[in-house]
Amino acid sequence: VEPVILTDIPFAPGNDEILTRFHLASDDAEAEVALDLAATARGMARPKAMYRSAYIEARDPGSVTIDGIAFPSRVLSVNLEPVHKVFPYVATCGVEMWDWFQTIHDPLESFWADTLMVMALRTAIEACARHTRAHTHAGPTSVMQPGSLEDWPLTQQAPLFALLGDPAAAVGVRLSESFLMIPTKSVSGLRFPSETGFENCQLCPREICPGRRAPYDSELYARKYSLSS
Ligand code: SF4
């Protein structure tokens, strides 16, 4: 199945939202410079995303084969038990913003630009999820991302990218030698139908994380994913 490529995702945050994200009031001395920077970003940002439908061909207790590519992971294997079709995806703030960010050296402006890239990435993730929901009849979905759990490490970015095809050509996201995505403000993963809802964070004991989306459940692994369960 050919990937869906979204390259025309609008990015138009309002000034109020931007100032809130920058922790500035409109009458702060830095507000004007900050909003000028944001206006530049708005004009040039091209957030992007791609995803495709893929099919589970084989599974065993410790791995899943999707369109001929093996993904060794116990958690993935259990989460995909009731599922036949999955949606690998990558979303990014876009190389345009990333290149622009490299030219900014002032620490405060660099913080603002970084915040704007995160906002653009969030826009791309939401556009990708919306498009998947509207065009695939997947129903409620959850996602898993390589590197979030020891069980599905960052090195699994390589087969995930292979499953997607050519993210570098399609949306400008490539993998470094250490399997990090460039632009760094990119997210990749596997979306799958899920009635119960799954968050990596449920299995992640990290105590301080600003991105946490669900409480850590210290017994969930033993309850649901242990091979003896
Ligand atoms: S708690 Fe934080 S580090 Fe752990 S999976 Fe969730 S977002 Fe990732």
Side-chain angles (χ1 to χ4, degrees), residues 5 16 39 50 77 82 84 119 140 154-155 169 172 207-208 214 217 228:
I5 298 167
D16 288 349
M50 73 184 291
S77 168
H84 301 289
M119 292 169 76
L154 199 59
T155 48
E207 283 186 5
I208 298 173
D217 181 343
S228 58

Side-chain angles (χ1 to χ4, degrees), residues 148 200-201 204 206 209 211-213:
S148 298
N200 291 310
C201 310
C204 173
R206 188 162 156 184
C209 174
R212 182 172 283 286
R213 295 176 300 274

Side-chain angles (χ1 to χ4, degrees), residues 69-84:
I69 300 176
F71 293 90
S73 158
R74 171 68 181 157
V75 177
L76 201 57
S77 168
V78 173
N79 283 349
L80 299 187
E81 250 164 30
V83 167
H84 301 289

Side-chain angles (χ1 to χ4, degrees), residues 2-228:
E2 287 301 306
V4 174
I5 298 167
L6 307 173
T7 54
D8 202 11
I9 300 170
F11 178 62
N15 285 351
D16 288 349
E17 184 188 351
I18 287 166
L19 290 175
T20 304
R21 297 293 297 265
F22 288 1
H23 310 294
L24 287 176
S26 54
D27 55 358
D28 278 347
E30 297 99 344
E32 194 180 332
V33 181
L35 289 177
D36 276 354
L37 187 96
T40 304
R42 261 197 305 256
M44 142 277 278
R46 296 288 178 273
K48 301 173 185 61
M50 73 184 291
Y51 72 93
R52 64 179 285 255
S53 302
Y55 294 88
I56 297 177
E57 293 175 342
R59 62 182 100 222
D60 63 39
S63 84
V64 185
T65 302
I66 305 169
D67 283 359
I69 300 176
F71 293 90
S73 158
R74 171 68 181 157
V75 177
L76 201 57
S77 168
V78 173
N79 283 349
L80 299 187
E81 250 164 30
V83 167
H84 301 289
K85 193 171 171 184
V86 293
F87 308 96
Y89 70 93
V90 61
T92 178
C93 70
V95 283
E96 297 79 4
M97 277 189 114
W98 177 243
D99 290 345
W100 168 70
F101 176 73
Q102 315 295 318
T103 67
I104 298 173
H105 303 295
D106 175 79
L108 187 56
E109 292 192 9
S110 186
F111 163 73
W112 292 335
D114 190 85
T115 304
L116 288 160
M117 286 196 298
V118 172
M119 292 169 76
L121 168 59
R122 176 61 43 198
T123 304
I125 294 169
E126 284 164 5
C128 188
R130 244 189 342 265
H131 199 283
T132 312
R133 273 198 301 274
H135 296 272
T136 65
H137 312 292
T141 59
S142 294
V143 297
M144 281 185 65
Q145 284 137 0
S148 298
L149 301 173
E150 248 175 67
D151 171 81
W152 203 35
L154 199 59
T155 48
Q156 288 286 294
Q157 293 276 32
L160 182 67
F161 268 52
L163 190 59
L164 275 164
D166 192 350
V171 292
V173 181
R174 63 190 171 82
L175 287 180
S176 73
E177 279 178 10
S178 47
F179 303 100
L180 294 172
M181 285 177 283
I182 299 164
T184 55
K185 296 296 185 274
S186 303
V187 165
S188 66
L190 207 54
R191 181 176 295 282
F192 55 95
S194 164
E195 292 295 336
T196 52
F198 170 83
E199 290 284 357
N200 291 310
C201 310
Q202 294 172 294
L203 292 172
C204 173
R206 188 162 156 184
E207 283 186 5
I208 298 173
C209 174
R212 182 172 283 286
R213 295 176 300 274
Y216 173 50
D217 181 343
S218 59
E219 288 159 19
L220 178 63
Y221 194 91
R223 214 164 56 233
K224 190 168 174 189
Y225 300 101
S226 160
L227 277 167
S228 58

